[in-house]
Amino acid sequence: MSGELKAVLFDMDGTLVDTEGMWWQACLAVAAELDLELTEADAGHVLGRMVEDVAGYLARRAPSPPGVERIGARLTEAFAGRISGGVTPLPGAIRLLDELRAEGVPAALVSASPRLIVEMVLRTVGAERFALVVAAEDTVRGKPLPDPYLRAASVLGLDPADCVAVEDSPTGLAAARAAGCRVVSVSGGPAPEDVLTVDGLEKVGVPLLRLLVSGRRSIG
C-alpha cells in the first residue's frame, strides 16, 4: 500500500449510467412471465447482482421455473432491449472519467452485467476511457463477493488499497470493501463508516479521491 491513488474502479449500472431502473423493469417483466410479483423487499436480491444470481433467485420463487439458464437468457434479453436505444450517463460521470485520464490515473469498469450489456453501454460512455473492463463472465463469483474488484486490481498490477472503488448499491459496496479498496458511495444513503458517501459524481474529483487514499475523508 503506497497511500497514492493508483486507479479508480467504477461500477456501471446506477453509478456511471442511469440504467438501474431499466434493469429493475427488466426483472419485473421476467418475473411476471414466471407468475411472480417483485416488490422493494426483493431489491437486495436483484440490484447489483449477476444475472445468474437473479435468475437463481427467481427460479427458487417461481411455481414452475423453466430453468436458471433460460431465465438468465431472458433477463439479459429484456435488459438489452431496454438499453439498445442508448443510455444516459449520470451527472459528473464523463467529466470525472476525463479528469482521471488527464491526470494519468487509470479507470476500470467493474460490472456485474454481462459483457454484451457492458459493450452496449460503452458505446455511449466510451471504451477508450477505461484501461480495463471486468464483466460478469470474468469471475466465477460476483458481487457482493470481492472477486471482481480483486481481479481488476490484479490485472492492473495494483494493491486494492491503492484503488478507489465507486459504487451505488449495498451489494457493490460489500464487494469493494471486502476486496480492500477505498470506497465511495454515490447513493447518498446510509453506508458503513469506512465508506465516503456523496450524493452523486458531481461531488467527486481527483483531489478528493487522492485524499481518500491518503487516509483523509474530505477536502475541507
Side-chain angles (χ1 to χ4, degrees), residues 25-170:
Q25 290 300 319
C27 292
L28 289 176
V30 174
E33 294 170 4
L34 299 171
D35 295 323
L36 294 174
E37 182 178 353
L38 297 182
T39 69
E40 289 186 6
D42 299 296
H45 301 279
V46 169
L47 299 180
R49 302 272 183 173
M50 294 174 65
V51 170
E52 292 81 1
D53 294 334
V54 179
Y57 177 70
L58 296 180
R60 289 190 296 272
R61 296 193 56 206
S64 301
V68 172
E69 287 189 9
R70 186 171 172 184
I71 296 172
R74 183 69 189 98
L75 284 166
T76 300
E77 179 184 25
F79 190 31
R82 284 165 170 78
I83 67 172
S84 61
V87 297
T88 303
L90 287 165
I94 301 302
R95 185 268 313 158
L96 178 56
L97 289 168
D98 288 345
E99 184 181 338
L100 288 166
R101 185 163 57 168
E103 293 285 337
V105 179
L109 191 62
V110 182
S111 177
S113 289
R115 188 163 292 274
L116 168 69
I117 300 297
V118 171
E119 289 177 351
M120 292 175 71
V121 170
L122 287 176
R123 295 172 194 166
T124 297
V125 178
E128 72 279 0
R129 291 187 166 96
F130 299 95
L132 172 69
V133 173
V134 176
E137 296 89 341
D138 295 322
T139 57
V140 175
R141 306 185 306 174
K143 303 173 186 180
L145 296 171
D147 302 38
Y149 282 106
L150 291 174
R151 177 176 175 82
S154 176
V155 173
L156 292 171
L158 300 175
D159 186 328
D162 293 329
C163 303
V164 174
V166 185
E167 276 280 0
D168 75 306
S169 71

Side-chain angles (χ1 to χ4, degrees), residues 14 167-169 173 184-191 195-201 203:
E167 276 280 0
D168 75 306
S169 71
L173 294 176
V184 175
S185 170
V186 295
S187 70
V195 172
L196 177 62
T197 301
V198 295
D199 57 4
L201 287 175
K203 303 293 180 66

